[in-house]
Amino acid sequence: MSGMIEFDDAAAKSVEAMYLTPDVVGQRARVLDMLSPKPGERIIDIGVGPGLLAQDLARLVGDTGRVVGLDAAAAMIKMARTRLAALPQAECVEGDACALKFPDAWFDAAVSTQVYEYVADMPAALSELHRVLRPGGRALVLDTDWRSIVWHSSDEARMGRVLACWDGHLADPHLPARLAPLFRRAGFTVARVEIVPMLSPHWQPVSYAAGIMRAIHGYARGNGARYGLSEVEVQAWYDDQLRLIERGEFFFSVNRYAFLATRQDAVGP
């Protein structure tokens, strides 16, 4: 997709900063609780990003386990390798979620957070996930449904246009609504689904909301024209948010959805 974000070194640093906010730190704790990694397990992190989750996983599986972080972006792999350098049980490789270069039934568990919404061919991606997991292996997938967003604005129509532009950088901005049947068709049983909210009821400079506001501003300035947005209109949207912050009227909330699934022995109908 021409509107996809290019994850270069600058983008990788922005993602890392967002993933270090209390909101996303809390999300990682929820993911770890749901996946429940055990000493000695082999786990793949599809879309390893800056390596923060992989670092936690490597510590939990211990010296007898193995964590493989996979990412399509070289800048993310570089950052994750640096973070994981002191953990010999962890490695990072560049690769494609739809073509996992690992043996059948190799992993005990898999995790993928904020990745599959960028993947156009989800049946292929989940087929590969099913293949590399052992029978009974666990998969934890977390993605955002951007229809769940509640973001206060003085101009709701303009806010809608900006968010429609942001949707354009994803293969599927509403993936969670389709994920359970996709899992079942790929041969998984969905065991548990939880909402993981990103909530800022007031302005917090170090928060997911602050980071995503900057990210959307930058993306819409560069890509708004294809959605009928001028740079002037994008800047007006951003300036409006700054005024709301000054008046103490900022509000942001969006839901992420975490699915825990297990691999069946055979792919179902």
Side-chain angles (χ1 to χ4, degrees):
M1 294 176 63
S2 59
M4 296 287 265
I5 291 175
E6 187 70 30
F7 286 100
D8 56 13
D9 287 344
K13 288 178 182 176
S14 295
V15 170
E16 181 184 45
M18 206 180 307
Y19 281 21
L20 287 167
T21 62
D23 315 354
V24 187
V25 170
Q27 172 189 289
R28 278 197 298 281
R30 293 278 296 278
V31 166
L32 292 168
D33 177 67
M34 289 181 72
L35 188 65
S36 190
K38 298 172 180 60
E41 285 193 317
R42 289 195 293 241
I43 301 178
I44 182 170
D45 183 353
I46 298 172
V48 67
L52 290 156
L53 178 59
Q55 183 179 52
D56 289 338
L57 290 168
R59 289 168 175 161
L60 290 167
V61 302
D63 296 341
T64 60
R66 192 73 182 161
V67 170
V68 177
L70 178 139
D71 209 289
M76 291 297 191
I77 291 292
K78 178 182 175 182
M79 182 175 285
R81 281 176 176 162
T82 299
R83 176 162 276 114
L84 299 170
L87 295 163
Q89 67 270 38
E91 67 173 309
C92 293
V93 297
E94 197 167 338
D96 183 346
C98 293
L100 301 175
K101 299 186 183 301
F102 302 100
D104 294 356
W106 184 250
F107 293 102
D108 299 292
V111 64
S112 184
T113 62
Q114 292 299 114
V115 173
Y116 282 134
E117 60 196 50
Y118 291 92
V119 175
D121 192 347
M122 278 300 295
L126 292 180
S127 175
E128 277 291 88
L129 186 63
H130 185 278
R131 181 185 65 78
V132 301
L133 282 174
R134 65 168 174 78
R138 313 179 308 285
L140 190 291
V141 174
L142 178 145
D143 280 287
T144 302
D145 190 324
W146 286 93
R147 286 174 298 197
S148 68
I149 195 165
V150 179
W151 196 344
H152 181 48
S153 171
S154 300
D155 187 330
E156 295 297 333
R158 183 176 60 207
M159 172 65 84
R161 292 191 294 274
V162 170
L163 292 177
C165 171
W166 179 245
D167 281 354
H169 91 287
L170 298 166
D172 187 350
H174 314 305
L175 176 61
R178 302 192 304 119
L179 198 48
L182 285 169
F183 260 134
R184 288 193 293 269
R185 285 194 287 271
F188 289 89
T189 297
V190 176
R192 185 174 164 192
V193 182
E194 291 191 5
I195 294 174
V196 182
M198 297 286 112
L199 172 63
S200 288
H202 51 82
W203 177 247
Q204 297 161 303
V206 181
S207 65
Y208 174 79
I212 205 67
M213 191 172 100
R214 289 189 293 269
I216 292 175
H217 181 228
Y219 179 82
R221 288 182 65 188
N223 296 273
R226 63 169 57 98
Y227 301 95
L229 280 171
S230 68
E231 284 197 37
V232 170
E233 188 173 18
V234 172
Q235 190 60 42
W237 165 80
Y238 190 75
D239 291 343
D240 176 56
Q241 289 300 307
L242 296 180
R243 286 191 293 271
L244 291 172
I245 291 166
E246 289 176 357
R247 298 201 298 262
E249 297 176 8
F250 182 85
F251 184 94
F252 173 95
S253 177
V254 70
N255 288 339
R256 292 173 167 180
Y257 299 84
F259 289 72
L260 180 65
T262 57
R263 182 199 143 161
Q264 301 171 4
D265 288 345
V267 176

